[in-house]
Amino acid sequence: MKEKISGGEALMRSLEHQGVKTIFGYPGGAIMPVFDALYDHRDKLNHILVRHEQGAAHAAQGFARVSGEVGVCLVTSGPGATNTITGVADAMIDSTPIVVIAGQVGAGLLGTDAFQEVDLVGITQPISKWSYQIRRAEDVAWAVARAFYIARSGRPGPVVLDFAKNAQIEMTDYEPVDVDFIRSYDPDPETDPKALAEAVRLINESQKPLVLVGQGVELGNAQEELLKFVEKADIPCGCTLLGLSAMPSAHPLNKGMLGMHGNLGPNVKTNECDVLIAVGMRFDDRVTGKLETYAKQAKVIHLDVDPSEIGKNVPVHVPVLGNCKRTLGLLTELIQPNKHTAWIDSFSQYEQQEFEKVIKREVYPESGPINMGEVVNAVSEATNHEAILVTDVGQNQMMACRYFKFTKNRSVVTSGGMGTMGFCIPAAIGATFGRPDRTVCAIMGDGGLQMTMQELGTIMEQKAPVKMILMNNNYLGNVRQWQAMFFNRRYSFTPMMNPDYMQIASAYGIPSRRVIEREELKDGIEEMLATDGPFLLEVCVVEEGNVLPMTPPGSSVNYMMMDLDC
């Protein structure tokens, strides 16, 4: 006779069966039976107690992004569940595989407005890959297996399991379940041989090809396949925000970041190329600028695992469906070796122009206050460009992604599509658990830090070795920049009165240092990196600095402002 176990115990065994070792969570009444079961699994399941459920979701994201595994968070019903919603939406738009498991009132109370009852399935269906309510203990193993399969397969994303309290307590037989097929769900669509052949023809005949590298390369573990493809065809590349570490920053074919605050060369050349090859990216509006003028001269080849992205924003001449690890390999086998020396050399004038007008004064200033760009560059150089970069959102994010350099894959953790302020600290915590062997540098502004500052308590308790670099300009900097550019410098509620961050760090037992003068910056960074465990380096930067170049909203991608007067 089989041993009967509770639904809560079945959840623990199901998570272990999926290979889970780390959970980020916060207990409460409607999930208490699960936490009671977790007490007996502490040797195999490391539960990280966050200080707010939003932190649990973002930490699960950071863990997933750097490890390639599914991030897991465990919370209670009602406000506990709704506090994860921002993280679920963020994970959906940025294709991050997480499973959120939330408590729920007992099935008999559903629909009665019971204490801490909320329709979590109804709320999360539009912003998740799958949302399901477990009402019976016997469904736990199946639901967990299905959740992990959906979260990690195809285009990854978040899954939400709403776990009724009665199902947590009920007794059931347990058998481990594996799911590798769901009817009507095709995570790796078949590649059309005719489309492949047409893509090969266009690439072989192209004189001015350009590859757009998206996060899909990282998600598909196709970094080596990408390099083999672009090196054989000799094609320059531009990277999206989330695709920045898919190829080494110093690779001669890597021409930098695409988009509103990207590099001048790849943005200008987008509207000059004759073949545009998009790999695992979704043509976000911050990348395309004005759609009516975007790459109209080019034949567009789009490699993507998600058919819904094909032609959604930009008309596609040749769709190449499937996991890009496979499709890039197929293309590389079929294309001819090529050279595009003159085309690649034509990027140089734009690189020089951007260096003279923007990079030189931002990264290598001779006087004045410390710039954000020089801080980022100094941190990147001090880590030999080998660190994981986690950012918050705003000017700090754009500066970090412009000037941090990468030599290793899965090294960029930032909120791209959602732009979630407060993302940085909890995501960085998750990253330290996902890749404990690597240095995690968390670059943030004073606005974002204060949105999830309570997670300093998690850092304190876990001794999570997050190297926090706070670029403090006493403003909500990105909004202030837009107010300067488009609202006649009417700084409506963007100046910030800030606390003493060193005192706050001290209260949490976190070593810290404040840097005001440029001459102190190098020593401050060295002290941060030499300190075991967490560290807060507060750098007082220029208050009204601007992220440039910039494509103004509604403008063509090849129009980039080099300063605010142009």
Side-chain angles (χ1 to χ4, degrees):
M1 185 175 179
K2 291 181 181 178
E3 174 196 10
K4 286 190 177 292
I5 60 173
S6 70
E9 175 66 20
L11 175 62
M12 296 299 103
R13 296 189 189 185
S14 297
L15 292 175
E16 290 175 0
H17 183 66
Q18 292 296 326
V20 174
K21 294 181 176 62
T22 306
I23 301 172
F24 304 92
Y26 203 96
I31 198 67
M32 207 173 294
V34 169
F35 271 87
D36 185 65
L38 177 59
Y39 191 84
D40 294 325
H41 290 258
R42 289 171 296 165
D43 59 332
K44 293 182 179 179
L45 295 172
N46 183 25
H47 177 269
I48 311 303
L49 178 65
V50 297
R51 298 307 189 259
H52 189 284
E53 291 89 355
Q54 181 180 353
H58 292 328
Q61 288 178 269
F63 176 92
R65 294 268 284 272
V66 301
S67 69
E69 302 173 12
V70 177
V72 180
C73 62
L74 184 64
V75 299
T76 194
S77 65
T82 57
N83 281 343
T84 68
I85 298 301
T86 297
V88 173
D90 195 296
M92 185 65 177
I93 199 165
D94 281 354
S95 305
T96 306
I98 65 171
V99 172
V100 176
I101 303 164
Q104 182 57 280
V105 301
L109 292 173
L110 290 169
T112 69
D113 290 334
F115 179 67
Q116 292 192 333
E117 179 192 0
V118 70
D119 182 6
L120 185 61
V121 171
I123 292 170
T124 57
Q125 274 184 334
I127 55 170
S128 64
K129 283 190 75 177
W130 187 51
S131 187
Y132 180 76
Q133 188 172 74
I134 304 173
R135 299 186 184 185
R136 306 183 305 171
E138 63 193 76
D139 295 333
V140 170
W142 169 85
V144 171
R146 186 180 174 101
F148 275 76
Y149 174 64
I150 292 173
R152 65 164 61 103
S153 61
R155 178 180 180 175
V159 170
V160 176
L161 294 178
D162 193 34
F163 199 179
K165 194 169 185 179
N166 65 286
Q168 301 172 35
I169 300 168
E170 289 170 1
M171 307 301 286
T172 184
D173 296 328
Y174 174 76
E175 288 280 351
V177 175
D178 292 299
V179 171
D180 59 9
F181 172 79
I182 297 173
R183 189 178 63 183
S184 78
Y185 173 57
D186 185 6
D188 189 5
E190 185 177 344
T191 304
D192 182 356
K194 292 181 180 179
L196 197 67
E198 178 63 8
V200 169
R201 184 187 70 81
L202 289 175
I203 293 167
N204 286 341
E205 294 177 359
S206 173
Q207 300 299 309
K208 298 178 178 180
L210 180 64
V211 171
L212 309 185
V213 179
Q215 190 194 194
V217 174
E218 299 266 53
L219 297 174
N221 297 313
Q223 299 92 343
E224 289 185 14
E225 287 77 7
L226 173 72
L227 288 179
K228 289 177 181 177
F229 170 69
V230 299
E231 287 171 355
K232 183 176 181 179
D234 197 34
I235 305 178
C237 303
C239 298
T240 68
L241 189 71
L242 299 185
L244 283 172
S245 65
M247 65 187 302
S249 301
H251 194 288
L253 292 175
N254 188 344
K255 298 303 178 182
M257 186 169 76
L258 299 161
M260 177 176 280
H261 288 296
N263 293 108
L264 181 61
N267 279 341
V268 169
K269 294 300 181 178
T270 294
N271 277 10
E272 292 181 14
C273 66
D274 56 11
V275 173
L276 191 68
I277 307 156
V279 186
M281 54 87 72
R282 58 187 180 84
F283 290 108
D284 174 75
D285 62 289
R286 289 295 173 97
V287 166
T288 64
K290 187 178 180 180
L291 281 170
E292 290 78 8
T293 59
Y294 182 79
K296 292 301 180 183
Q297 78 294 335
K299 297 290 186 181
V300 178
I301 302 169
H302 193 173
L303 282 65
D304 210 290
V305 76
D306 184 358
S308 70
E309 290 296 344
I310 303 296
K312 185 179 78 174
N313 296 325
V314 172
V316 173
H317 299 87
V318 184
V320 181
L321 290 174
N323 185 301
C324 61
K325 187 176 183 69
R326 174 170 55 81
T327 56
L328 280 171
L330 291 171
L331 282 176
T332 304
E333 288 179 12
L334 296 170
I335 59 173
Q336 300 168 356
N338 213 330
K339 284 292 179 184
H340 297 101
T341 305
W343 167 239
I344 293 169
D345 288 347
S346 70
F347 282 75
S348 298
Q349 62 174 310
Y350 298 103
E351 292 166 356
Q352 186 64 29
Q353 181 182 347
E354 184 178 350
F355 180 82
E356 291 296 333
K357 292 190 174 182
V358 176
I359 297 173
K360 185 177 180 180
R361 66 189 182 196
E362 179 63 41
V363 178
Y364 308 105
E366 296 178 356
S367 61
I370 301 173
N371 288 336
M372 289 178 280
E374 70 176 303
V375 175
V376 173
N377 181 68
V379 172
S380 184
E381 288 187 345
T383 59
N384 296 316
H385 312 304
E386 294 178 347
I388 289 172
L389 169 68
V390 185
T391 85
D392 212 89
V393 167
Q395 288 185 320
N396 65 88
Q397 177 187 36
M398 294 296 102
M399 286 293 191
C401 291
R402 277 184 56 81
Y403 297 115
F404 213 86
K405 304 304 177 187
F406 307 99
T407 58
K408 296 183 177 181
N409 300 326
R410 291 188 176 272
S411 294
V412 179
V413 183
T414 190
S415 175
M418 197 71 171
T420 303
M421 287 181 67
F423 176 85
C424 185
I425 289 181
I429 293 169
T432 64
F433 284 95
R435 287 301 302 268
D437 58 317
R438 297 187 62 188
T439 300
V440 175
C441 292
I443 294 181
M444 64 198 79
D446 41 319
L449 168 59
Q450 293 185 80
M451 284 199 170
T452 50
M453 194 158 58
Q454 71 279 352
E455 298 307 331
L456 292 174
T458 309
I459 292 176
M460 171 186 67
E461 182 173 350
Q462 300 296 330
K463 298 181 174 56
V466 180
K467 307 303 182 184
M468 294 171 279
I469 301 96
L470 167 61
M471 300 196 293
N472 188 354
N473 59 9
N474 298 304
Y475 273 102
L476 296 175
N478 209 48
V479 181
R480 184 215 54 77
Q481 178 173 336
W482 283 49
Q483 288 172 336
M485 296 176 73
F486 309 120
F487 294 91
N488 298 318
R489 299 187 181 273
R490 290 160 57 89
Y491 294 162
S492 181
F493 300 99
T494 46
M496 293 196 76
M497 179 179 288
N498 279 308
D500 187 327
Y501 291 109
M502 293 184 69
Q503 287 195 41
I504 291 172
S506 177
Y508 284 104
I510 298 173
S512 64
R513 178 169 174 172
R514 179 179 294 124
V515 170
I516 299 175
E517 301 296 332
R518 177 168 289 109
E519 293 72 25
E520 306 172 88
L521 181 60
K522 184 174 184 292
D523 287 344
I525 293 171
E526 288 178 353
E527 180 183 351
M528 173 185 72
L529 295 175
T531 301
D532 289 335
F535 193 96
L536 174 65
L537 180 66
E538 178 186 1
V539 185
C540 299
V541 298
V542 58
E543 290 200 342
E544 295 193 34
N546 296 302
V547 186
L548 294 166
M550 178 180 182
T551 298
S555 297
S556 296
V557 67
N558 57 331
Y559 171 66
M560 300 199 80
M561 299 172 65
M562 294 291 115
D563 57 57
L564 298 193
D565 298 325
C566 61

